Amino acid sequence: MRIAILAHEKFPDRAKTALGVLRYGDHDVAAVLDRDTAGKRVSDFVSDVQDAPIVAELADLEDEADELDALLIGISPIGGEFDESWRDDVRTALEYGCDVVSGLHYFLAEDEEFARLAEENGCELRDVRNPPEDLTVADGVAGEVDAEVILTVGTDCSVGKMTTTMELARDARQAGFDAAVIPTGQTGIMIEGWGNPIDRVVSDFTAGAVEEMITELGDEYDYLFVEGQGSIVHPAYSPVTLGILHGSMADKLVLCHEAGREAIHGYESFSLPSIPTYVDLYESIAEPVAEGRVVAGALNTAGLDDDAARQAVDEYAETLGAPATDVIRFDTDDVLEALR
Amino acid sequence: MRIAILAHEKFPDRAKTALGVLRYGDHDVAAVLDRDTAGKRVSDFVSDVQDAPIVAELADLEDEADELDALLIGISPIGGEFDESWRDDVRTALEYGCDVVSGLHYFLAEDEEFARLAEENGCELRDVRNPPEDLTVADGVAGEVDAEVILTVGTDCSVGKMTTTMELARDARQAGFDAAVIPTGQTGIMIEGWGNPIDRVVSDFTAGAVEEMITELGDEYDYLFVEGQGSIVHPAYSPVTLGILHGSMADKLVLCHEAGREAIHGYESFSLPSIPTYVDLYESIAEPVAEGRVVAGALNTAGLDDDAARQAVDEYAETLGAPATDVIRFDTDDVLEALR
């Protein structure tokens, strides 16, 4: 599938979905759209992902746009609104007959202009954050599957849960295990091509929507790596986190954190508790439903140099009393060992 | 408003909404519909609520049905589905020109026959569990309101959180305080005539939907009594509970429990943790967002005789290290004192 990824004014640091698809998706990326960094290439910013040119708007692709299968919205502002400055690109994509794939809370299929253009040009608006209609409450049975269920939990949003999930699943596969990812957010769903957007599921069905995915795959794999969301103490998103924790009935937890982060992103008046407090909170709130233990850590050290990163990871492991790594920068051997 | 309440095969013990409206609503109740107990009266089962005859079906009301304003669906099965054995009564109500008010997950307004009948007869289908369209994420500001925010939390579903909320608010008003209820579930909403059905809000907006109600009323009252839902360790509903806890940023918590309950209702393989564990869990998970302490307890002793009830409440208070009561059976003086 040949795609372009919209990431205006946010590539690469605030374009989590765009980066995730570049790194883990099996799409062929023709271009990233970012009017702020147009003219450069993905490889000017990030070295270990698929390279692609960065252009200011879809129309700049000219003839190449004709060969695109889809435009992916690769950024998601707080609240998940549609930014009107993206409208030209979405319109252009539809006029070229491209599908548009979006993880926004704002559903493109309900936008009158987009719906009309999609119909006229025979293409599809795919709102991956629009959950299926047939979800229901959890039965409390995810713990019965054969697979070891491993969940990434975090100290905050955007600390690396999705990345850690994808890296661990990939490395587990390379080590010869049958490992699947359980996608719970827009990026995971865009990468894997299936999944339930848990943050958009009604709160009564949150755990059930996770359980449904676990029981669907759980007897066919050795390991299920569940993409975690948010944080158990996030002022807005904690219900999503807890629904995934209880719905997955995870056996093992990997605590994800970003080196140096001290306050909730976007909610700076809320300080992060200590790492041991997070471990206690996740384990104690999990236990009455399923005894999930924090057995490893993943530290995002993107802001540090190599020496500082190594030291930060070592300190993080010591604090956790468990193996830790930066899944992008270092290997995952010790962490995978802890997950067996 | 003159109403009938549908509670087939579940009145009174499994008809929480029906009982709540009989006890706290200011509606004039013409009849309760329950084909299992038809011929008896509400007062044959429950003494301290509004009395009404119990009939097998709405058609039995004959001429009286003409004077009804609304039929309320007063029961809610696990999953919130519509039971087809209720269809005749809903149809009859609409044919008499009655509104039908429902807290089911299944929206009556989306049922083709009901929608047509409502239109033909000029009446309204009110699905109180259908949340408003304009909800969004929490800002983490509920803690800034002038009112003392008091939240009922529970060891399980159906242990008395709604009842405790209503009783404490009523008693606080009688003691001369400005007290309001923040309704978060179908029964609270039916009683109060407003509110957000938190269990039906998408999980990203759960905390925000509570925060919105708190900030709307928070500077006009001395006390806000927030109707809690579910339990922080419920295998299915914990996200609803946590969204209310973090979204309300409650100052004080009242822990509600039913004497003798040992397992999660409907999920009997899940044992309830100890009461001190619940206190720790609620306080520790609340603290990073807002420091809410368990300052009182409410014990549902409906299954016990008077002596056993008194003893159970005393033991519960001792375990909590805080005042406790059964809000239906005993007074709330000590509990209210602890909330000041």
Side-chain angles (χ1 to χ4, degrees):
Chain A
M1 192 159 105
R2 191 161 172 81
I3 65 170
I5 306 177
L6 184 151
H8 283 307
E9 301 171 15
K10 298 206 165 150
F11 192 82
D13 292 341
R14 289 172 299 144
K16 193 166 71 160
T17 300
L19 267 186
V21 172
L22 283 165
R23 183 169 277 137
Y24 304 109
D26 53 5
H27 320 78
D28 175 18
V29 181
V32 168
L33 316 185
D34 183 352
R35 59 177 79 91
D36 281 359
T37 49
K40 305 206 171 191
R41 298 186 63 84
V42 168
S43 57
D44 293 333
F45 299 99
V46 199
S47 58
D48 58 347
V49 308
Q50 180 176 173
D51 193 21
I54 303 177
V55 300
E57 51 179 2
L58 197 62
D60 292 348
L61 286 182
E62 299 176 356
D63 290 355
E64 254 190 291
D66 243 354
E67 291 160 32
L68 284 184
D69 297 306
L71 172 68
L72 262 65
I73 309 294
I75 48 185
S76 178
I78 284 190
E81 294 302 318
F82 182 81
D83 187 319
E84 283 299 324
S85 78
W86 309 338
R87 184 167 289 274
D88 277 348
D89 286 318
V90 174
R91 192 186 286 129
T92 303
L94 295 170
E95 286 166 353
Y96 275 111
C98 286
D99 294 343
V100 180
V101 185
S102 163
L104 298 172
H105 275 320
Y106 178 88
F107 295 149
L108 302 188
E110 294 175 5
D111 182 288
E112 212 170 302
E113 182 185 16
F114 297 154
R116 180 176 52 74
L117 284 171
E119 180 153 7
E120 286 173 9
N121 295 283
C123 42
E124 200 187 342
L125 294 164
R126 279 196 287 146
D127 292 298
V128 302
R129 220 164 183 171
N130 196 1
E133 293 286 331
D134 60 350
L135 297 172
T136 185
V137 297
D139 290 324
V141 297
E144 295 170 12
V145 301
D146 293 338
E148 190 79 358
V149 176
I150 294 150
L151 169 64
T152 49
V153 293
T155 57
D156 195 2
C157 296
S158 304
V159 293
K161 291 178 291 290
M162 186 276 295
T163 301
T164 300
T165 305
M166 294 295 167
E167 292 283 333
L168 292 178
R170 185 164 70 178
D171 291 353
R173 278 185 208 116
Q174 282 174 1
F177 295 99
D178 282 336
V181 167
I182 302 292
T184 62
Q186 72 271 28
T187 308
I189 296 171
M190 284 191 188
I191 294 169
E192 297 287 321
W194 76 292
N196 287 329
I198 301 303
D199 59 359
R200 189 74 190 187
V201 170
V202 300
S203 55
D204 245 11
F205 302 160
T206 308
V210 177
E211 179 183 86
E212 174 200 81
M213 294 191 286
I214 302 275
T215 54
E216 191 178 329
L217 295 194
D219 292 335
E220 294 166 33
Y221 287 88
D222 302 317
Y223 293 99
L224 298 183
F225 288 91
V226 183
E227 179 195 11
Q229 298 288 339
S231 147
I232 197 72
V233 295
H234 193 285
Y237 305 131
S238 59
V240 186
T241 310
L242 188 57
I244 298 174
L245 182 67
H246 282 162
S248 70
M249 298 179 71
D251 301 295
K252 289 174 178 162
L253 309 176
V254 178
L255 182 62
C256 304
H257 179 53
E258 183 185 53
R261 188 171 309 194
E262 293 180 350
I264 305 282
H265 175 67
Y267 296 77
E268 309 297 327
S269 67
F270 295 88
S271 301
L272 300 193
S274 72
I275 296 298
T277 300
Y278 275 107
V279 173
D280 285 350
L281 286 174
Y282 277 113
E283 291 184 350
S284 61
I285 204 84
E287 186 170 332
V289 177
E291 196 166 339
R293 294 287 160 202
V294 175
V295 299
L299 190 69
N300 178 344
T301 64
L304 304 180
D305 66 28
D306 279 352
D307 284 352
R310 187 71 264 169
Q311 192 183 335
V313 166
D314 290 347
E315 284 171 11
Y316 187 56
E318 198 173 338
T319 306
L320 285 174
T325 191
D326 179 322
V327 296
I328 296 291
R329 199 159 200 163
F330 305 125
D331 70 65
T332 60
D333 298 352
D334 293 349
V335 166
L336 278 182
E337 187 62 35
L339 297 177
R340 290 204 186 174
Chain B
M1 193 159 107
R2 192 159 171 83
I3 63 170
I5 306 177
L6 184 151
H8 282 307
E9 301 170 14
K10 298 207 166 151
F11 192 82
D13 291 342
R14 289 172 298 145
K16 192 165 71 160
T17 300
L19 267 188
V21 171
L22 284 165
R23 183 169 277 136
Y24 304 110
D26 54 6
H27 320 77
D28 177 17
V29 181
V32 167
L33 316 186
D34 182 353
R35 58 177 80 92
D36 280 0
T37 50
K40 305 205 172 192
R41 298 187 63 85
V42 168
S43 58
D44 293 333
F45 300 99
V46 199
S47 59
D48 58 347
V49 308
Q50 181 177 171
D51 194 21
I54 303 177
V55 300
E57 51 179 359
L58 197 62
D60 292 348
L61 286 182
E62 298 176 357
D63 290 355
E64 255 190 290
D66 242 353
E67 290 160 33
L68 284 185
D69 297 307
L71 172 68
L72 263 66
I73 309 293
I75 48 184
S76 179
I78 285 190
E81 293 303 318
F82 182 80
D83 187 320
E84 284 300 322
S85 78
W86 309 338
R87 184 167 290 273
D88 276 349
D89 286 317
V90 173
R91 192 186 287 128
T92 304
L94 295 169
E95 285 166 354
Y96 275 112
C98 286
D99 295 343
V100 180
V101 185
S102 162
L104 298 173
H105 275 320
Y106 178 88
F107 295 149
L108 303 188
E110 295 175 4
D111 182 288
E112 211 170 301
E113 181 185 18
F114 296 155
R116 181 178 51 76
L117 284 171
E119 180 154 6
E120 285 173 11
N121 295 284
C123 42
E124 200 187 341
L125 294 164
R126 280 195 287 145
D127 292 298
V128 303
R129 220 164 183 171
N130 195 1
E133 293 286 330
D134 61 349
L135 297 172
T136 184
V137 296
D139 290 323
V141 298
E144 295 169 12
V145 301
D146 292 339
E148 191 79 357
V149 176
I150 294 150
L151 169 64
T152 49
V153 293
T155 57
D156 195 2
C157 295
S158 304
V159 293
K161 290 178 292 289
M162 186 276 296
T163 301
T164 301
T165 305
M166 295 294 167
E167 292 284 333
L168 291 178
R170 185 164 71 179
D171 291 353
R173 280 186 206 113
Q174 281 174 1
F177 295 100
D178 283 335
V181 167
I182 303 292
T184 63
Q186 73 270 27
T187 308
I189 296 172
M190 284 191 187
I191 294 168
E192 297 287 322
W194 76 292
N196 287 329
I198 300 303
D199 59 359
R200 190 72 190 188
V201 170
V202 299
S203 55
D204 244 11
F205 302 160
T206 308
V210 177
E211 179 183 86
E212 174 200 80
M213 294 191 286
I214 302 275
T215 55
E216 189 177 330
L217 295 193
D219 292 335
E220 293 167 33
Y221 287 88
D222 301 317
Y223 293 100
L224 298 183
F225 288 91
V226 183
E227 180 196 9
Q229 297 290 339
S231 149
I232 198 72
V233 296
H234 193 285
Y237 305 131
S238 60
V240 187
T241 309
L242 188 57
I244 297 174
L245 182 67
H246 282 162
S248 70
M249 297 179 71
D251 300 296
K252 290 175 177 161
L253 309 176
V254 178
L255 182 62
C256 303
H257 178 53
E258 183 184 52
R261 189 174 305 197
E262 293 179 351
I264 305 281
H265 175 68
Y267 296 77
E268 309 298 327
S269 66
F270 295 88
S271 299
L272 300 192
S274 71
I275 296 299
T277 299
Y278 275 107
V279 173
D280 285 349
L281 286 174
Y282 277 113
E283 291 184 349
S284 61
I285 204 85
E287 186 169 331
V289 176
E291 197 165 340
R293 294 286 160 203
V294 175
V295 299
L299 190 69
N300 179 344
T301 65
L304 304 179
D305 67 28
D306 280 351
D307 284 352
R310 185 72 265 169
Q311 192 184 335
V313 165
D314 290 346
E315 284 170 10
Y316 188 56
E318 199 173 336
T319 305
L320 284 174
T325 192
D326 178 322
V327 295
I328 296 292
R329 198 160 201 161
F330 305 124
D331 71 64
T332 60
D333 298 352
D334 293 350
V335 166
L336 278 182
E337 187 63 35
L339 297 177
R340 291 205 185 172

